[in-house]
Amino acid sequence: MRNKLLAGVAATAMTLGAGTALADNMGGNIIVTYKDDVSTLDPAIGYDWQNWSMIKSLFDGLMDYKPGTTELVPDLAESYTISDDGLVYTFKLKPGVKFHNGRELVAADVKYTLDRVVNPETQSPGAGFFAAIDGFDAASAGEAEGLSGVNAVDDQTVEITLSRPDATFLHVMALNFAHVVPKEVVEEHGQDFGKHPVGTGAYEMTDWTLGQHVIFSRFDDYHVEGLPKLDQITFEVGQEPIVALLRLERGEIDIAGDGVPPAKFLEVTGNPEYDGSIVEGSQLHTGYITMNTQMAPFDNLKVRQAVNMAINKDRIVRIINGRAVPANQPLPPLMPGYDENYEGFKFDPDAAKALLAEAGFADGFTTELYVANTDPQPRIAQAIQQDLSNIGIKAEIKSLAQANVIAAGGEKDQAPMIWSGGMAWIADFPDPSNFYGPILGCGGAVPGGWNWAWYCNPELDKRAIAADAMADPSQAEARIEEWKKIFTEIQDEAPWVPVFNEQRFTIRSKRLAGPEGIFVDPVHIPVHYDHVYISEGN
C-alpha cells in the first residue's frame, strides 16, 4: 500500500464513511479525543486538520478517491465526460441521493454550492481553487451572482465550463470545498451553518455540546450500499494528548486524535505493548515559518533571507525525536516538482547577522511569533526564538489555540511571523499546484486565507496558471519542470523558512488494530491535515 506516492500522505486524525475494511458484522460506537474544540463543520469554511477530516464524514462531492490510492472516482456523480478541448465537464448525478434532512440531491444544489464557495461574503479559504471556472473573477469580486460557468442542465446533470484547461480540476471537485450543501439549510442558519451541518455523507451530526463532544450517527439513507458500518462516533474535546494516551491504555477511548504525544514518543514506540496499535506514514508535508511580507521589517528581502539562515533545523528535528527531515524548499521530497539540486539557505548565523546589517538592522529588531499551544509547538517556537535572538531579533511568542493562530494569519496586519506546526501544509491532492495557490499564490493572500506570508507575485501567478493549463498528458513532464522553477524562485524570495518534512504517527485501541476489528488506514490521499482515514469500503 505504501508505494512512493501513497507514502506521501498519512495520518493522525480520522474520517469515517468511505475507505478500508471493517469486519462485516462490525457496528457499535467508537470514541475519538481531541485537545481543541471543533471550529466549524461547514465544508466551505473548515480548513484545519481536525474539522477537515470530520467534514468528510458528513458531506460528499462529485468526485472522491478510491481508498488508499490517488485514483479519482465518481462519488455523487454517477459518471462524467470531458470535451475534446478540455474546457467542458459534464457530470451525471447518481439518482436517489438524499441529504440528511430527507430531500433528494439535484443539480441546482451543486451549482449553489460552488457559487457559495466563491462568493466573497462566504470568506471561504478555498475559493481560489475554483479560479479556472468561467466567471470566477466576476463572482469572486462580488460583481456577479454566481459562476457563469456552472449550469444545472436538468435535475441530474451539471455542466461546468472552464476559462482555461486545468490539469487539477477533477482533484478540485474532490476537495471538501466542493462538497455539496442544501441551500435551504444554509439560508436557515446563515453563518451558523457550520454548527448545524446537513450533507449527504455516511454520518449525520446528532449532537454538539460545545466544549464537551460532537456526536455523529449512522445515516441510514446513505447512497453507498452497506455503509456506514459503525453506528456512532463520539468526538470528545478538551482532552490533553497525554491524558488521551492514558485513557486509551485503559480502554476508555479508541483513537487519540492528536496523535502520539511528543514527550511520550520514544516510550510508546519502544513499548511492545503498542505493537499493532501505532500507525506510521510519511506525508506530503512541509512545516514552515511564515514572514508577513506586507509588514515591516519582513517586507525587506534581506531580512527574510537572514531569518532563513538563522534557523537551526537539525536542532528542531531533534526536539521531535527525529520524526522529520530538514526542509530547504516549500515542496516536500515526495511531491512531483521537488528540486533535488536546490540548496536553499544554509544555517549560517554570521551571514544572517551581516544581512541584517545590510538591511539597516545591525542592532536587530523586536517582533512576534505566533504558535499553536499544543505540545511540541511551543517548544519548537522557543527554539526558533533562541535562534532569532542569536542574530539580534527579539521575538515574543504568542502561544494561542490553533483556531486563533489561523485567524491571525488570515488578517493582513496581525501576525508578523507564524510557526505553522500543527497547522502545517499537507497536500489536499498529490500535485505541486496545491502547494502554491492556497499558501503562496495571490489567491490565498486574502482575508481568511492561508497565505500567511501575504506573498503575492503576479508574474509567478501567471506562470502557475499557465502550468496548470498544460492538461495534455504529453505536457506532463514539462509542466512539472515549470513548477520546479516556480517553487525555487519563490524560495529565493524567502517568504517562508521551510523547516522540516514530517512523518506522522497515531495510536489506536487494540480493538481497532486487528483483523477482527476496524483497520485504520494510514494513507488516504485527499487530505489537508494528518488524517487517519477509518475506511469502510468493500
Side-chain angles (χ1 to χ4, degrees), residues 29-267:
N29 310 329
I30 69 169
I31 298 175
V32 185
T33 63
Y34 291 117
K35 179 182 182 292
D36 293 328
D37 208 343
V38 184
S39 57
T40 181
L41 292 173
D42 184 342
I45 304 298
Y47 207 22
D48 66 54
W49 66 269
Q50 183 175 327
N51 58 42
W52 183 266
S53 57
M54 294 171 72
I55 284 167
K56 293 286 290 183
S57 302
L58 302 174
F59 297 88
D60 298 308
L62 292 176
M63 303 294 294
D64 201 352
Y65 293 81
K66 185 176 180 181
T69 79
T70 57
E71 180 184 346
L72 281 159
V73 292
D75 188 9
L76 292 179
E78 186 175 54
S79 62
Y80 65 90
T81 59
I82 307 173
S83 63
D84 290 341
D85 61 5
L87 294 178
V88 181
Y89 290 71
T90 303
F91 297 90
K92 289 290 184 180
L93 299 183
K94 185 184 295 183
V97 175
K98 291 185 178 180
F99 287 108
H100 299 150
N101 63 358
R103 179 172 70 77
E104 286 200 9
L105 170 83
V106 294
D109 295 310
V110 179
K111 176 168 175 54
Y112 171 75
T113 294
L114 299 181
D115 287 347
R116 174 177 180 253
V117 168
V118 303
N119 187 327
E121 294 183 3
T122 304
Q123 293 191 352
S124 171
F129 283 117
F130 304 91
I133 298 178
D134 204 28
F136 171 82
D137 289 341
S140 63
E143 299 169 356
E145 292 188 10
L147 291 157
S148 59
V150 182
N151 180 30
V153 178
D154 55 47
D155 281 352
Q156 297 302 120
T157 309
V158 181
E159 184 180 86
I160 302 178
T161 302
L162 308 185
S163 58
R164 62 179 187 272
D166 182 1
T168 71
F169 184 68
L170 288 177
H171 287 293
V172 171
M173 289 296 100
L175 291 177
N176 281 12
F177 300 117
H179 282 17
V180 181
V181 299
K183 179 179 181 180
E184 69 275 15
V185 181
V186 175
E187 291 186 342
E188 176 185 356
H189 295 288
Q191 293 184 345
D192 286 333
F193 175 69
K195 294 289 191 293
H196 304 274
V198 171
T200 61
Y203 295 88
E204 56 184 321
M205 192 195 76
T206 51
D207 184 54
W208 187 343
T209 302
L210 292 177
Q212 296 183 34
H213 62 246
V214 181
I215 296 176
F216 291 178
S217 299
R218 171 201 301 272
F219 180 43
D220 290 331
D221 287 331
Y222 188 52
H223 60 90
V224 179
E225 185 177 356
L227 300 180
K229 291 181 175 173
L230 288 173
D231 297 321
Q232 184 174 290
I233 311 109
T234 299
F235 301 91
E236 295 184 357
V237 300
Q239 296 281 314
E240 291 291 338
I242 293 287
V243 175
L245 178 62
L246 293 173
R247 292 189 65 202
L248 188 140
E249 290 173 346
R250 295 195 297 263
E252 296 174 3
I253 67 170
D254 296 291
I255 293 180
D258 292 302
V260 179
K264 291 283 189 178
F265 176 76
L266 295 178
E267 176 186 333

Side-chain angles (χ1 to χ4, degrees), residues 211-378:
Q212 296 183 34
H213 62 246
V214 181
I215 296 176
F216 291 178
S217 299
R218 171 201 301 272
F219 180 43
D220 290 331
D221 287 331
Y222 188 52
H223 60 90
V224 179
E225 185 177 356
L227 300 180
K229 291 181 175 173
L230 288 173
D231 297 321
Q232 184 174 290
I233 311 109
T234 299
F235 301 91
E236 295 184 357
V237 300
Q239 296 281 314
E240 291 291 338
I242 293 287
V243 175
L245 178 62
L246 293 173
R247 292 189 65 202
L248 188 140
E249 290 173 346
R250 295 195 297 263
E252 296 174 3
I253 67 170
D254 296 291
I255 293 180
D258 292 302
V260 179
K264 291 283 189 178
F265 176 76
L266 295 178
E267 176 186 333
V268 168
T269 54
N271 188 340
E273 289 293 318
Y274 290 105
D275 287 351
S277 294
I278 299 172
V279 180
E280 174 187 357
S282 301
Q283 304 178 104
L284 292 174
H285 162 282
T286 302
Y288 51 90
I289 304 163
T290 60
M291 291 169 280
N292 191 322
T293 59
Q294 304 304 306
M295 294 178 69
F298 298 113
D299 56 349
N300 187 312
L301 173 61
K302 290 183 178 180
V303 171
R304 300 195 303 271
Q305 290 173 331
V307 172
N308 267 271
M309 293 179 180
I311 304 304
N312 187 339
K313 300 172 186 179
D314 290 325
R315 181 163 67 110
I316 293 174
V317 168
R318 289 196 296 271
I319 290 173
I320 60 170
N321 299 304
R323 294 179 293 132
V325 294
N328 67 355
Q329 59 192 281
L331 289 183
L334 292 175
M335 178 68 85
Y338 177 83
D339 190 341
E340 295 180 355
N341 297 316
Y342 183 73
E343 294 186 357
F345 297 98
K346 300 293 186 182
F347 174 54
D348 190 339
D350 291 335
K353 288 179 183 178
L355 273 176
L356 279 185
E358 290 179 24
F361 296 95
D363 297 325
F365 56 87
T366 299
T367 188
E368 294 176 331
L369 173 64
Y370 282 67
V371 60
N373 59 9
T374 302
D375 187 63
Q377 310 315 332

